[in-house]
PDB file of all heavy atoms in Angstrom:
ATOM      1  N   THR A   1    -123.823 136.792  95.083  1.00 77.00           N
ATOM      2  CA  THR A   1    -122.657 137.621  94.743  1.00 77.00           C
ATOM      3  C   THR A   1    -122.480 138.746  95.751  1.00 77.00           C
ATOM      4  O   THR A   1    -121.365 139.024  96.211  1.00 77.00           O
ATOM      5  CB  THR A   1    -122.824 138.193  93.323  1.00 77.00           C
ATOM      6  OG1 THR A   1    -122.949 137.120  92.392  1.00 77.00           O
ATOM      7  CG2 THR A   1    -121.624 139.050  92.940  1.00 77.00           C
ATOM      8  N   ILE A   2    -123.580 139.399  96.102  1.00 80.00           N
ATOM      9  CA  ILE A   2    -123.507 140.511  97.069  1.00 80.00           C
ATOM     10  C   ILE A   2    -123.057 139.992  98.435  1.00 80.00           C
ATOM     11  O   ILE A   2    -122.215 140.615  99.112  1.00 80.00           O
ATOM     12  CB  ILE A   2    -124.886 141.206  97.177  1.00 80.00           C
ATOM     13  CG1 ILE A   2    -125.210 141.929  95.863  1.00 80.00           C
ATOM     14  CG2 ILE A   2    -124.899 142.186  98.347  1.00 80.00           C
ATOM     15  CD1 ILE A   2    -126.623 142.473  95.805  1.00 80.00           C
ATOM     16  N   ILE A   3    -123.616 138.844  98.843  1.00 79.00           N
ATOM     17  CA  ILE A   3    -123.243 138.274 100.152  1.00 79.00           C
ATOM     18  C   ILE A   3    -121.746 137.972 100.200  1.00 79.00           C
ATOM     19  O   ILE A   3    -121.044 138.330 101.160  1.00 79.00           O
ATOM     20  CB  ILE A   3    -124.068 136.999 100.428  1.00 79.00           C
ATOM     21  CG1 ILE A   3    -125.538 137.363 100.669  1.00 79.00           C
ATOM     22  CG2 ILE A   3    -123.500 136.227 101.617  1.00 79.00           C
ATOM     23  CD1 ILE A   3    -126.465 136.169 100.725  1.00 79.00           C
ATOM     24  N   PHE A   4    -121.232 137.296  99.161  1.00 75.00           N
ATOM     25  CA  PHE A   4    -119.818 136.942  99.156  1.00 75.00           C
ATOM     26  C   PHE A   4    -118.936 138.177  98.967  1.00 75.00           C
ATOM     27  O   PHE A   4    -117.810 138.221  99.472  1.00 75.00           O
ATOM     28  CB  PHE A   4    -119.531 135.912  98.062  1.00 75.00           C
ATOM     29  CG  PHE A   4    -120.043 134.540  98.397  1.00 75.00           C
ATOM     30  CD1 PHE A   4    -120.925 133.878  97.557  1.00 75.00           C
ATOM     31  CD2 PHE A   4    -119.656 133.905  99.563  1.00 75.00           C
ATOM     32  CE1 PHE A   4    -121.393 132.616  97.868  1.00 75.00           C
ATOM     33  CE2 PHE A   4    -120.128 132.637  99.886  1.00 75.00           C
ATOM     34  CZ  PHE A   4    -120.999 131.990  99.035  1.00 75.00           C
ATOM     35  N   LEU A   5    -119.439 139.179  98.264  1.00 75.00           N
ATOM     36  CA  LEU A   5    -118.679 140.421  98.105  1.00 75.00           C
ATOM     37  C   LEU A   5    -118.481 141.088  99.464  1.00 75.00           C
ATOM     38  O   LEU A   5    -117.366 141.523  99.805  1.00 75.00           O
ATOM     39  CB  LEU A   5    -119.425 141.356  97.148  1.00 75.00           C
ATOM     40  CG  LEU A   5    -118.765 142.715  96.860  1.00 75.00           C
ATOM     41  CD1 LEU A   5    -117.406 142.520  96.192  1.00 75.00           C
ATOM     42  CD2 LEU A   5    -119.665 143.572  95.980  1.00 75.00           C
ATOM     43  N   LEU A   6    -119.559 141.154 100.243  1.00 77.00           N
ATOM     44  CA  LEU A   6    -119.449 141.747 101.583  1.00 77.00           C
ATOM     45  C   LEU A   6    -118.530 140.910 102.472  1.00 77.00           C
ATOM     46  O   LEU A   6    -117.757 141.464 103.276  1.00 77.00           O
ATOM     47  CB  LEU A   6    -120.840 141.857 102.218  1.00 77.00           C
ATOM     48  CG  LEU A   6    -121.817 142.833 101.533  1.00 77.00           C
ATOM     49  CD1 LEU A   6    -123.184 142.756 102.173  1.00 77.00           C
ATOM     50  CD2 LEU A   6    -121.270 144.259 101.609  1.00 77.00           C
ATOM     51  N   SER A   7    -118.603 139.587 102.308  1.00 70.00           N
ATOM     52  CA  SER A   7    -117.758 138.705 103.126  1.00 70.00           C
ATOM     53  C   SER A   7    -116.284 138.921 102.807  1.00 70.00           C
ATOM     54  O   SER A   7    -115.434 139.006 103.714  1.00 70.00           O
ATOM     55  CB  SER A   7    -118.131 137.239 102.882  1.00 70.00           C
ATOM     56  OG  SER A   7    -119.474 137.000 103.221  1.00 70.00           O
ATOM     57  N   VAL A   8    -115.963 139.022 101.524  1.00 70.00           N
ATOM     58  CA  VAL A   8    -114.565 139.179 101.118  1.00 70.00           C
ATOM     59  C   VAL A   8    -114.023 140.537 101.538  1.00 70.00           C
ATOM     60  O   VAL A   8    -112.867 140.661 101.967  1.00 70.00           O
ATOM     61  CB  VAL A   8    -114.434 138.980  99.589  1.00 70.00           C
ATOM     62  CG1 VAL A   8    -113.049 139.379  99.109  1.00 70.00           C
ATOM     63  CG2 VAL A   8    -114.726 137.527  99.219  1.00 70.00           C
ATOM     64  N   VAL A   9    -114.861 141.580 101.443  1.00 70.00           N
ATOM     65  CA  VAL A   9    -114.413 142.930 101.816  1.00 70.00           C
ATOM     66  C   VAL A   9    -114.004 142.979 103.292  1.00 70.00           C
ATOM     67  O   VAL A   9    -113.091 143.726 103.676  1.00 70.00           O
ATOM     68  CB  VAL A   9    -115.534 143.955 101.522  1.00 70.00           C
ATOM     69  CG1 VAL A   9    -115.234 145.296 102.183  1.00 70.00           C
ATOM     70  CG2 VAL A   9    -115.696 144.132 100.019  1.00 70.00           C
ATOM     71  N   THR A  10    -114.657 142.173 104.120  1.00 69.00           N
ATOM     72  CA  THR A  10    -114.344 142.196 105.557  1.00 69.00           C
ATOM     73  C   THR A  10    -113.105 141.387 105.907  1.00 69.00           C
ATOM     74  O   THR A  10    -112.627 141.451 107.052  1.00 69.00           O
ATOM     75  CB  THR A  10    -115.534 141.641 106.367  1.00 69.00           C
ATOM     76  OG1 THR A  10    -115.768 140.283 105.971  1.00 69.00           O
ATOM     77  CG2 THR A  10    -116.786 142.471 106.139  1.00 69.00           C
ATOM     78  N   LEU A  11    -112.561 140.630 104.952  1.00 64.00           N
ATOM     79  CA  LEU A  11    -111.409 139.784 105.270  1.00 64.00           C
ATOM     80  C   LEU A  11    -110.152 140.610 105.547  1.00 64.00           C
ATOM     81  O   LEU A  11    -109.339 140.240 106.397  1.00 64.00           O
ATOM     82  CB  LEU A  11    -111.149 138.806 104.125  1.00 64.00           C
ATOM     83  CG  LEU A  11    -112.183 137.687 103.959  1.00 64.00           C
ATOM     84  CD1 LEU A  11    -111.812 136.806 102.775  1.00 64.00           C
ATOM     85  CD2 LEU A  11    -112.271 136.846 105.230  1.00 64.00           C
ATOM     86  N   GLN A  12    -109.949 141.699 104.800  1.00 61.00           N
ATOM     87  CA  GLN A  12    -108.747 142.514 105.010  1.00 61.00           C
ATOM     88  C   GLN A  12    -108.705 143.106 106.420  1.00 61.00           C
ATOM     89  O   GLN A  12    -107.676 143.000 107.103  1.00 61.00           O
ATOM     90  CB  GLN A  12    -108.678 143.611 103.949  1.00 61.00           C
ATOM     91  CG  GLN A  12    -107.473 144.545 104.065  1.00 61.00           C
ATOM     92  CD  GLN A  12    -106.152 143.818 103.818  1.00 61.00           C
ATOM     93  OE1 GLN A  12    -106.143 142.663 103.404  1.00 61.00           O
ATOM     94  NE2 GLN A  12    -105.051 144.488 104.084  1.00 61.00           N
ATOM     95  N   PRO A  13    -109.798 143.720 106.916  1.00 65.00           N
ATOM     96  CA  PRO A  13    -109.767 144.186 108.313  1.00 65.00           C
ATOM     97  C   PRO A  13    -109.502 143.055 109.299  1.00 65.00           C
ATOM     98  O   PRO A  13    -108.805 143.238 110.302  1.00 65.00           O
ATOM     99  CB  PRO A  13    -111.181 144.781 108.510  1.00 65.00           C
ATOM    100  CG  PRO A  13    -111.610 145.173 107.137  1.00 65.00           C
ATOM    101  CD  PRO A  13    -111.019 144.149 106.222  1.00 65.00           C
ATOM    102  N   MET A  14    -110.063 141.845 109.012  1.00 61.00           N
ATOM    103  CA  MET A  14    -109.816 140.702 109.894  1.00 61.00           C
ATOM    104  C   MET A  14    -108.340 140.324 109.892  1.00 61.00           C
ATOM    105  O   MET A  14    -107.759 140.004 110.942  1.00 61.00           O
ATOM    106  CB  MET A  14    -110.652 139.494 109.444  1.00 61.00           C
ATOM    107  CG  MET A  14    -112.140 139.631 109.728  1.00 61.00           C
ATOM    108  SD  MET A  14    -113.067 138.238 109.048  1.00 61.00           S
ATOM    109  CE  MET A  14    -112.266 136.882 109.896  1.00 61.00           C
ATOM    110  N   ALA A  15    -107.711 140.370 108.704  1.00 57.00           N
ATOM    111  CA  ALA A  15    -106.294 140.017 108.612  1.00 57.00           C
ATOM    112  C   ALA A  15    -105.434 141.023 109.372  1.00 57.00           C
ATOM    113  O   ALA A  15    -104.463 140.663 110.041  1.00 57.00           O
ATOM    114  CB  ALA A  15    -105.874 139.950 107.151  1.00 57.00           C
ATOM    115  N   ILE A  16    -105.787 142.302 109.248  1.00 59.00           N
ATOM    116  CA  ILE A  16    -105.027 143.341 109.962  1.00 59.00           C
ATOM    117  C   ILE A  16    -105.166 143.143 111.474  1.00 59.00           C
ATOM    118  O   ILE A  16    -104.194 143.249 112.234  1.00 59.00           O
ATOM    119  CB  ILE A  16    -105.521 144.736 109.544  1.00 59.00           C
ATOM    120  CG1 ILE A  16    -105.202 144.975 108.064  1.00 59.00           C
ATOM    121  CG2 ILE A  16    -104.908 145.814 110.429  1.00 59.00           C
ATOM    122  CD1 ILE A  16    -105.774 146.260 107.523  1.00 59.00           C
ATOM    123  N   PHE A  17    -106.402 142.816 111.901  1.00 58.00           N
ATOM    124  CA  PHE A  17    -106.635 142.591 113.318  1.00 58.00           C
ATOM    125  C   PHE A  17    -105.823 141.392 113.822  1.00 58.00           C
ATOM    126  O   PHE A  17    -105.314 141.384 114.946  1.00 58.00           O
ATOM    127  CB  PHE A  17    -108.128 142.347 113.565  1.00 58.00           C
ATOM    128  CG  PHE A  17    -108.460 142.020 114.988  1.00 58.00           C
ATOM    129  CD1 PHE A  17    -108.535 143.024 115.950  1.00 58.00           C
ATOM    130  CD2 PHE A  17    -108.683 140.702 115.384  1.00 58.00           C
ATOM    131  CE1 PHE A  17    -108.826 142.711 117.262  1.00 58.00           C
ATOM    132  CE2 PHE A  17    -108.974 140.390 116.696  1.00 58.00           C
ATOM    133  CZ  PHE A  17    -109.059 141.407 117.648  1.00 58.00           C
ATOM    134  N   ALA A  18    -105.676 140.362 112.920  1.00 55.00           N
ATOM    135  CA  ALA A  18    -104.916 139.170 113.304  1.00 55.00           C
ATOM    136  C   ALA A  18    -103.421 139.354 113.117  1.00 55.00           C
ATOM    137  O   ALA A  18    -102.640 138.429 113.354  1.00 55.00           O
ATOM    138  CB  ALA A  18    -105.386 137.965 112.501  1.00 55.00           C
ATOM    139  N   LYS A  19    -102.995 140.551 112.629  1.00 54.00           N
ATOM    140  CA  LYS A  19    -101.595 140.871 112.398  1.00 54.00           C
ATOM    141  C   LYS A  19    -100.955 139.890 111.396  1.00 54.00           C
ATOM    142  O   LYS A  19     -99.898 139.335 111.629  1.00 54.00           O
ATOM    143  CB  LYS A  19    -100.807 140.867 113.716  1.00 54.00           C
ATOM    144  CG  LYS A  19    -101.270 141.944 114.681  1.00 54.00           C
ATOM    145  CD  LYS A  19    -100.448 141.914 115.941  1.00 54.00           C
ATOM    146  CE  LYS A  19    -100.767 143.086 116.833  1.00 54.00           C
ATOM    147  NZ  LYS A  19    -102.179 143.203 117.208  1.00 54.00           N
ATOM    148  N   GLY A  20    -101.639 139.678 110.294  1.00 49.00           N
ATOM    149  CA  GLY A  20    -101.110 138.825 109.233  1.00 49.00           C
ATOM    150  C   GLY A  20    -101.610 139.299 107.892  1.00 49.00           C
ATOM    151  O   GLY A  20    -102.518 140.115 107.796  1.00 49.00           O
ATOM    152  N   TYR A  21    -100.953 138.835 106.844  1.00 46.00           N
ATOM    153  CA  TYR A  21    -101.342 139.181 105.478  1.00 46.00           C
ATOM    154  C   TYR A  21    -101.715 137.904 104.734  1.00 46.00           C
ATOM    155  O   TYR A  21    -100.921 136.975 104.647  1.00 46.00           O
ATOM    156  CB  TYR A  21    -100.182 139.882 104.747  1.00 46.00           C
ATOM    157  CG  TYR A  21     -99.866 141.247 105.309  1.00 46.00           C
ATOM    158  CD1 TYR A  21     -98.831 141.401 106.232  1.00 46.00           C
ATOM    159  CD2 TYR A  21    -100.601 142.351 104.918  1.00 46.00           C
ATOM    160  CE1 TYR A  21     -98.527 142.647 106.757  1.00 46.00           C
ATOM    161  CE2 TYR A  21    -100.305 143.607 105.440  1.00 46.00           C
ATOM    162  CZ  TYR A  21     -99.274 143.747 106.356  1.00 46.00           C
ATOM    163  OH  TYR A  21     -98.985 144.978 106.863  1.00 46.00           O
ATOM    164  N   GLN A  22    -102.897 137.886 104.215  1.00 44.00           N
ATOM    165  CA  GLN A  22    -103.274 136.706 103.471  1.00 44.00           C
ATOM    166  C   GLN A  22    -102.625 136.725 102.101  1.00 44.00           C
ATOM    167  O   GLN A  22    -102.507 137.749 101.462  1.00 44.00           O
ATOM    168  CB  GLN A  22    -104.792 136.560 103.352  1.00 44.00           C
ATOM    169  CG  GLN A  22    -105.570 137.696 102.790  1.00 44.00           C
ATOM    170  CD  GLN A  22    -105.932 138.798 103.721  1.00 44.00           C
ATOM    171  OE1 GLN A  22    -105.109 139.270 104.486  1.00 44.00           O
ATOM    172  NE2 GLN A  22    -107.156 139.254 103.599  1.00 44.00           N
ATOM    173  N   GLY A  23    -102.152 135.564 101.719  1.00 43.00           N
ATOM    174  CA  GLY A  23    -101.632 135.419 100.368  1.00 43.00           C
ATOM    175  C   GLY A  23    -100.179 135.749 100.198  1.00 43.00           C
ATOM    176  O   GLY A  23     -99.634 135.578  99.124  1.00 43.00           O
ATOM    177  N   ALA A  24     -99.458 136.241 101.175  1.00 41.00           N
ATOM    178  CA  ALA A  24     -98.044 136.565 100.995  1.00 41.00           C
ATOM    179  C   ALA A  24     -97.252 135.292 100.764  1.00 41.00           C
ATOM    180  O   ALA A  24     -97.482 134.277 101.401  1.00 41.00           O
ATOM    181  CB  ALA A  24     -97.517 137.283 102.228  1.00 41.00           C
ATOM    182  N   ALA A  25     -96.349 135.355  99.834  1.00 41.00           N
ATOM    183  CA  ALA A  25     -95.527 134.174  99.553  1.00 41.00           C
ATOM    184  C   ALA A  25     -94.733 133.819 100.798  1.00 41.00           C
ATOM    185  O   ALA A  25     -94.313 134.684 101.558  1.00 41.00           O
ATOM    186  CB  ALA A  25     -94.593 134.468  98.384  1.00 41.00           C
ATOM    187  N   PRO A  26     -94.491 132.551 101.083  1.00 40.00           N
ATOM    188  CA  PRO A  26     -93.847 132.117 102.324  1.00 40.00           C
ATOM    189  C   PRO A  26     -92.493 132.761 102.569  1.00 40.00           C
ATOM    190  O   PRO A  26     -92.124 133.012 103.701  1.00 40.00           O
ATOM    191  CB  PRO A  26     -93.710 130.601 102.129  1.00 40.00           C
ATOM    192  CG  PRO A  26     -94.751 130.239 101.112  1.00 40.00           C
ATOM    193  CD  PRO A  26     -94.864 131.426 100.226  1.00 40.00           C
ATOM    194  N   ASP A  27     -91.770 133.040 101.502  1.00 38.00           N
ATOM    195  CA  ASP A  27     -90.421 133.555 101.694  1.00 38.00           C
ATOM    196  C   ASP A  27     -90.346 135.063 101.589  1.00 38.00           C
ATOM    197  O   ASP A  27     -89.285 135.647 101.676  1.00 38.00           O
ATOM    198  CB  ASP A  27     -89.476 132.919 100.665  1.00 38.00           C
ATOM    199  CG  ASP A  27     -89.977 133.125  99.240  1.00 38.00           C
ATOM    200  OD1 ASP A  27     -91.166 133.491  99.081  1.00 38.00           O
ATOM    201  OD2 ASP A  27     -89.180 132.923  98.304  1.00 38.00           O
TER     202      ASP A  27
END
């Protein structure tokens, strides 16, 4: 749980770095 918690927390900075938003509806 701790490992995956740390992994998920880092996804938002990765998305910002990639200039995209995960999960936004296509339209």
Side-chain angles (χ1 to χ4, degrees):
T1 301
I2 292 172
I3 291 171
F4 287 123
L5 180 62
L6 294 175
S7 300
V8 170
V9 167
T10 61
L11 289 179
Q12 179 65 9
M14 288 175 58
I16 295 174
F17 176 78
K19 296 181 172 57
Y21 292 97
Q22 55 277 46
D27 55 345

